[in-house]
């Protein structure tokens, strides 16, 4: 589709990329073919995940991070994933408004992704869009996800550096431990740090990190205080991202991480393709009624039925000797 991996993208390239992202999100069949063609041009962007509770200031923070990267002359892509926006409808507009300042900057590409959660393919859509931005030549890709449920875990599988955002006074000090986020952050941010309680969150976080054994790891996750609305602390945050990147690139850290992430990605793709294949088969051959009544009547167990389905499929596909 004529997208060049240099920094000067033509309007046609940008339009084509936008269209491809939309088609991927809408699961238009041909879109996957176009993504396949682009795949060899991916793997160059540095991917930063930003996760945290709703309203913790992630978008404002990302907006400020864009400033820092742009001042360095780096091109930036942003994927703002919001699983709840499909219901509330408000957040997407919020992202657009908060990052509005960058709307006319050709070096910045912002894409919001409304989706109903990971089961519907949030992870794949987000990964697909990261790949398109990567192929467009964006040097930095930032993925913003609301830290609820499985999302924050999934974003870790896509990001090279994961940033977890906390805020003071969000109820109990246990917000860090409860959500299990001490395990996933490479860098922790205490945003809205001008508010009362920043000290306390930081102390609680530090002890949670200690208990989780994260303070005597190869990488001790730094805690950065920011005030995203004014931009305070954001250059320091970016510096920590670079420091983490440098540490990853030493030795085999990055290579191992990429392999592990690729494995997860591949398994997810395989799983969804296999599932889709069998669902189609069951539907097309009208097998649901008899299968379900057999199962409900306990004439067969689900394990045997699944094995039967798979072995029939394999027997059917086996080439003639
Ligand atoms: N006082 C203060 N307010 C902030 C700060 N950072 C962000 N906010 C405000 O917090 C509100 C939420 O900010 P967003 O950037 O939309 O937060 P978010 O985490 O992206 O929100 P969702 O995407 O809806 O989960 C906005 O009104 C921001 O202006 C900060 O450092 N201090
Ligand atoms: Mg947001």
């Amino acid at each position: 589709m004529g997208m060049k991996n240099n920094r000067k993208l033509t309007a046609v390239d940008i339009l084509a990329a936008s269209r491809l992202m939309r088609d991927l999100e809408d699961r238009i069949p041909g879109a996957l073919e176009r993504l396949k063609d682009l795949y060899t041009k991916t793997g160059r962007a540095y991917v930063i995940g930003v996760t945290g509770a709703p309203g913790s200031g992630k978008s404002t923070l990302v907006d400020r991070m864009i400033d820092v990267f742009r001042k360095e002359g780096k091109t930036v892509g942003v994927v703002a994933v919001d699983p709840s926006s499909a219901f509330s409808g408000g957040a997407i507009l919020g992202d657009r408004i908060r990052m509005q300042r960058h709307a006319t900057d050709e070096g910045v590409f912002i894409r919001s992704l409304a989706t109903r959660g990971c089961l519907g393919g949030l992870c794949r859509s987000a990964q697909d869009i990261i790949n398109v931005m990567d192929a467009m030549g964006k040097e930095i890709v930032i993925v913003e996800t609301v830290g609820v449920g499985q999302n924050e875990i999934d974003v870790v599988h896509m990001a090279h550096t994961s940033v977890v955002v906390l805020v003071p006074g969000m109820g109990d000090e246990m917000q860090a431990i409860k959500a299990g986020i001490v395990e996933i952050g490479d860098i922790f941010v205490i945003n809205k740090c001008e508010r009362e309680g920043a000290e306390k969150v930081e102390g609680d976080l530090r002890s949670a990190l200690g208990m989780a054994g994260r303070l005597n790891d190869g990488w001790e996750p730094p805690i950065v205080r920011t005030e995203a609305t004014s931009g305070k602390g954001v250059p320091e945050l970016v510096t920590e991202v670079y420091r983490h990147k440098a540490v990853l690139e030493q030795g085999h850290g990055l290579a191992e991480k990429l392999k592990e992430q690729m494995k997860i990605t591949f398994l997810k793709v395989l799983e969804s393709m296999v599932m889709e294949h069998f669902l189609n088969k069951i539907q097309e051959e009208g097998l649901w009624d008899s299968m379900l009544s057999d199962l409900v009547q306990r004439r067969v167990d689900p394990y045997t039925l699944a094995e039967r389905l798979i072995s029939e499929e394999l027997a059917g596909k086996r080439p003639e000797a």
Side-chain angles (χ1 to χ4, degrees):
M1 60 189 300
M3 287 204 294
K4 291 166 216 75
N5 201 19
N6 60 23
R7 274 170 224 175
K8 204 86 194 125
L9 289 168
T10 66
V12 176
D13 291 333
I14 292 169
L15 192 68
S18 308
R19 192 171 298 143
L20 176 53
M21 290 184 203
R22 197 194 52 218
D23 289 353
L24 285 165
E25 197 179 346
D26 294 344
R27 295 296 158 91
I28 307 283
L32 207 54
E33 298 307 315
R34 278 180 280 155
L35 184 63
K36 287 180 196 169
D37 291 339
L38 287 182
Y39 204 78
T40 53
K41 291 182 182 147
T42 64
R44 303 173 205 208
Y46 197 77
V47 183
I48 304 166
V50 176
T51 188
S56 53
K58 299 177 295 295
S59 298
T60 315
L61 200 62
V62 170
D63 180 73
R64 293 292 178 182
M65 291 169 80
I66 297 173
D67 280 339
V68 178
F69 289 122
R70 290 303 289 146
K71 277 205 194 94
E72 295 174 354
K74 294 201 169 70
T75 55
V76 185
V78 177
V79 190
V81 184
D82 187 350
S84 63
S85 63
F87 303 112
S88 75
I92 296 270
L93 193 60
D95 289 334
R96 286 274 158 77
I97 290 166
R98 268 188 259 299
M99 300 177 202
Q100 189 65 49
R101 296 183 301 120
H102 303 287
T104 54
D105 181 351
E106 277 186 25
V108 179
F109 197 104
I110 298 167
R111 177 87 200 182
S112 290
L113 191 58
T115 161
R116 275 142 255 95
C118 199
L119 282 176
L122 173 148
C123 327
R124 222 188 81 192
S125 301
Q127 185 64 66
D128 288 350
I129 287 171
I130 294 170
N131 285 336
V132 177
M133 289 184 175
D134 189 350
M136 280 173 86
K138 293 288 171 271
E139 296 164 283
I140 306 282
V141 176
I142 306 177
V143 191
E144 175 191 335
T145 55
V146 181
V148 285
Q150 182 65 26
N151 293 312
E152 59 195 5
I153 311 294
D154 289 321
V155 76
V156 172
H157 299 149
M158 304 174 199
H160 300 122
T161 298
S162 292
V163 176
V164 173
V165 183
L166 301 173
V167 291
M170 271 194 56
D172 47 28
E173 67 282 1
M174 292 292 122
Q175 58 178 335
I177 309 163
K178 241 190 339 209
I181 54 170
V182 286
E183 311 288 345
I184 63 168
D186 298 310
I187 299 170
F188 290 86
V189 165
I190 299 177
N191 189 41
K192 309 194 185 184
C193 71
E194 81 281 6
R195 289 193 177 168
E196 208 177 312
E199 223 106 296
K200 176 151 173 48
V201 189
E202 183 167 339
D204 291 339
L205 175 60
R206 215 173 281 283
S207 53
L209 287 170
M211 280 191 282
R214 296 285 318 267
L215 298 183
N216 42 31
D217 244 355
W219 168 257
E220 183 175 318
I223 302 174
V224 185
R225 291 196 197 183
T226 60
E227 187 186 334
T229 35
S230 71
K232 208 175 117 196
V234 177
E236 288 79 356
L237 169 59
V238 170
T239 301
E240 292 298 345
V241 171
Y242 286 137
R243 203 167 62 84
H244 183 244
K245 180 174 186 278
V247 168
L248 271 184
E249 283 166 354
Q250 281 165 13
H252 303 293
L254 189 58
E256 287 306 313
K257 188 168 190 150
L258 293 180
K259 266 196 218 163
E260 191 51 41
Q261 290 178 330
M262 222 15 122
K263 188 173 169 185
I264 290 166
T265 300
F266 175 73
L267 286 175
K268 273 188 188 143
V269 168
L270 185 64
E271 183 184 22
S272 75
M273 280 189 176
V274 170
M275 187 65 105
E276 214 169 288
H277 179 85
F278 281 104
L279 275 177
N280 284 343
K281 179 189 161 86
I282 293 169
Q283 237 129 22
E284 275 162 21
E285 296 178 16
L287 300 175
W288 271 132
D289 278 349
S290 68
M291 274 174 52
L292 291 179
S293 78
D294 282 350
L295 286 165
V296 171
Q297 308 287 330
R298 299 295 198 266
R299 282 191 290 266
V300 67
D301 63 87
Y303 312 100
T304 305
L305 192 55
E307 279 168 5
R308 208 178 283 162
L309 208 62
I310 292 167
S311 51
E312 269 171 26
E313 191 67 12
L314 292 177
K317 288 274 154 68
R318 200 160 292 153
E320 298 298 313

